């Protein structure tokens, strides 16, 4: 069967797909609108099939997702890959979608930015329902390992994310990262804490709208060949600047500065990116920082925090070495009293930590302010 991938209203190319397997690329319509991850040979007018497969396979719930097994039992015998294509492959982080060539359906009638979506799967993920559910949801394609769901709050699209054992700290960490960014003048998406039942979640609004897409830095890192003589840091900034991301260096430096302060352990290349207009293809700039929760010794025992030196990402594993990249250019003054207060205030909102280890927030705050 022939399918077409669209970017919003623009057909990009068509391809043959049988049982969710891409057989071949058929016609190329508007290759410049393709996902950056998908390789296109301009001279030969060829879309590289394997890069398209790779793109689709990466646009799904990962195997590492918490409680994946319970989810799999409830999605009508589908694999996570099949699930990602179940409702036109739509997402709330970009405007790509796939339809059968002869289907007359239009983007305006199905996209999740302007149309409502089923809340079933969100409720299910957070343990509120065990019945079968509608697959008309952007949660089919969401990335990341923490339990999460897009929900509707009046006309806003909100990403709700859980936290992991043993300290359930990530949701609070997101808020701390946002609050610290705010006092430092760093562009971080706003996270708030939300209690649902026994659990606490982080919530943030969508920073993508129906005219934009989030392009993770991984999209450029995975395709381009880095010459040996330049560092990964310089390479990423150069590639971003070539694409028109004018504030790339500043944005990345500020992000690395935040990550240095909060001991972020998981800033891999899919955890930051830039924003592009899907109509004009104009690059808008770096996306606000998101996903800073895997930080602040989220899974380290209290007794090990003082001497902890966790590995970091994405340019170096050593935190101090990564900081060397930006040290000379950062001229932000760190108010350690404010940072201490933010950490203590936000972590004391965790009923779990207050009950089991009320001194943990002090141990973390002490470590952070003594390490900047
Ligand atoms: N506020 C947001 N607006 C749009 N897309 C987002 C937003 N937050 C996250 N995303 C997208 O959802 C993915 C998963 O969210 P993330 O916060 O990274 O979860 P996890 O902590 O499980 O990795 C991100 O990689 C990004 O593509
Ligand atoms: Mg992530």
């Amino acid at each position: 069967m022939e399918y077409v991938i669209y970017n919003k209203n623009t057909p990009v190319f068509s391809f043959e797909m049988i049982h969710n397997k891409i057989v071949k690329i058929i016609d190329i319509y508007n290759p410049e609108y393709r996902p950056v991850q998908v390789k296109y040979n301009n001279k030969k007018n060829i879309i590289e099939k394997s890069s398209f497969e790779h793109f689709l396979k990466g646009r799904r719930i990962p195997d590492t997702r918490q409680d994946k097994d319970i989810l799999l039992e409830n999605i009508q015998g589908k694999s996570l890959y099949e699930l990602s294509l179940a409702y036109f492959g739509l997402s709330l982080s970009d405007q790509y979608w796939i339809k059968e060539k002869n289907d007359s359906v239009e983007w305006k009638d199905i996209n999740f930015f302007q149309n409502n979506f089923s809340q079933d799967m969100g409720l299910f993920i957070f343990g509120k329902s065990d019945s079968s559910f509608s697959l008309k949801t952007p949660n089919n394609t969401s990335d990341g390992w923490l339990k999460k769901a897009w929900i509707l709050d009046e006309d806003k699209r909100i990403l709700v994310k859980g936290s992991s054992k043993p300290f359930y700290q990530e949701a609070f960490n997101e808020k701390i990262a946002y609050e610290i960014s705010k006092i430092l003048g760093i562009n971080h998406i706003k996270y708030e804490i939300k209690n649902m039942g026994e659990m606490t979640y982080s919530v943030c609004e969508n920073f993508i709208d129906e005219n934009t897409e989030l392009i993770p830095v991984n999209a450029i890192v995975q395709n381009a060949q880095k010459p040996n003589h330049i560092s990964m840091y310089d390479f990423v900034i150069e590639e971003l600047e070539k694409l028109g991301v004018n504030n790339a260096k500043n944005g990345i430096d500020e992000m690395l500065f935040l990550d240095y302060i909060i001991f972020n352990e998981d800033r891999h290349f899919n955890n930051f990116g830039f924003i592009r207009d899907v109509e004009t293809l104009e690059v808008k700039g770096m996306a606000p920082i998101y996903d800073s929760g895997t930080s602040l010794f989220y899974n380290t025992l209290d007794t090990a925090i003082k001497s902890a030196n966790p590995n970091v990402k994405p340019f170096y594993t050593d935190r101090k070495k990564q900081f060397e990249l930006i040290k000379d250019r950062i001229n932000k003054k760190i108010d350690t009293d404010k940072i201490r207060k933010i950490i203590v205030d936000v972590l004391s909102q965790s009923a779990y930590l207050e009950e089991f280890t009320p001194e943990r927030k002090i141990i973390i705050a002490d470590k952070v302010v003594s390490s900047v």
Side-chain angles (χ1 to χ4, degrees), residues 46-317:
I46 292 173
I47 293 274
E48 188 191 277
K49 180 171 87 97
S50 62
S51 68
F52 177 46
E53 277 167 340
H54 195 252
F55 166 74
L56 284 185
K57 295 238 158 91
R59 215 164 163 278
R60 46 158 270 199
I61 296 176
D63 288 322
T64 48
R65 175 71 61 84
Q66 291 183 332
D67 292 349
K68 173 194 81 166
D69 295 339
I70 309 170
L71 183 63
L72 276 175
E73 277 170 27
N74 284 274
I75 50 174
Q76 303 155 24
K78 291 184 164 43
S79 67
L80 291 175
Y81 174 57
E82 287 163 344
L83 178 68
S84 75
L85 299 174
Y87 195 77
F88 302 99
L90 283 162
S91 155
L92 271 173
S93 302
D94 62 40
Q95 313 302 334
Y96 299 105
W97 61 288
I98 287 169
K99 75 169 179 82
E100 279 177 28
K101 194 169 180 189
N102 299 326
D103 191 339
S104 58
V105 64
E106 290 183 48
W107 180 85
K108 67 174 175 27
D109 299 320
I110 55 166
N111 76 80
F112 293 131
F113 292 85
Q114 295 163 326
N115 298 287
N116 287 352
F117 47 86
S118 162
Q119 305 277 52
D120 299 354
M121 190 161 159
L123 291 172
F124 172 78
I125 286 170
F126 296 122
K128 285 211 183 148
S129 143
D130 56 4
S131 55
S132 68
F133 44 71
S134 159
L135 296 180
K136 184 182 169 185
T137 153
N139 297 320
N140 298 341
T141 48
S142 71
D143 189 14
W145 69 286
L146 285 177
K147 276 193 206 181
K148 68 175 63 60
W150 287 102
I151 59 164
L152 285 166
D153 181 2
E154 293 176 4
D155 57 350
K156 289 197 185 106
R157 275 85 185 121
I158 309 271
L159 184 63
V160 184
K161 283 205 306 180
S163 303
S164 71
K165 287 179 194 150
F167 298 112
Y168 303 101
Q169 218 181 286
E170 287 92 335
F172 301 94
N173 291 353
E174 298 284 16
K175 185 170 162 80
I176 292 170
Y178 163 69
E179 296 284 349
I180 292 177
S181 297
K182 202 162 70 174
I183 62 167
L184 292 171
I186 294 175
N187 185 17
H188 195 296
I189 190 77
K190 179 176 184 181
Y191 282 90
E192 282 169 309
I193 310 278
K194 187 179 163 83
N195 293 313
M196 273 162 45
E198 302 251 286
M199 294 302 290
T200 310
Y201 300 93
S202 73
V203 294
C204 69
E205 283 184 28
N206 198 343
F207 52 75
I208 295 300
D209 62 25
E210 63 269 31
N211 299 313
T212 56
E213 67 177 305
L214 170 65
I215 303 179
V217 165
N218 197 37
I220 51 175
V221 170
Q222 78 188 30
N223 277 346
Q225 276 294 320
K226 182 183 86 61
N228 281 338
H229 66 275
I230 69 168
S231 70
M232 195 58 167
Y233 168 82
D234 286 331
F235 177 71
V236 164
I237 288 167
E238 248 175 49
E239 292 296 311
L240 286 168
E241 283 173 351
K242 265 193 239 163
L243 285 164
V245 188
N246 298 326
N247 61 348
K249 194 174 182 76
N250 191 42
I252 286 179
D253 285 1
E254 293 195 336
M255 178 184 80
L256 293 179
F257 185 48
L258 171 71
D259 287 346
Y260 173 74
I261 296 173
I262 64 173
F263 285 79
N264 190 350
E265 299 176 40
D266 202 32
R267 185 70 67 199
H268 55 74
F269 290 119
N270 271 326
N271 268 344
F272 63 113
F274 60 102
I275 295 179
R276 180 166 81 165
D277 186 306
V278 298
E279 307 266 11
T280 62
L281 298 182
E282 178 205 348
V283 167
K284 311 286 255 187
M286 292 300 287
I289 304 174
Y290 57 93
D291 198 6
S292 304
T294 311
S295 53
L296 295 166
F297 315 98
Y298 73 105
N299 66 355
T300 307
L301 292 179
D302 294 2
T303 46
I305 290 176
K306 200 168 172 202
S307 62
N309 183 25
N311 283 348
V312 301
K313 294 170 183 162
F315 301 113
Y316 290 104
T317 50

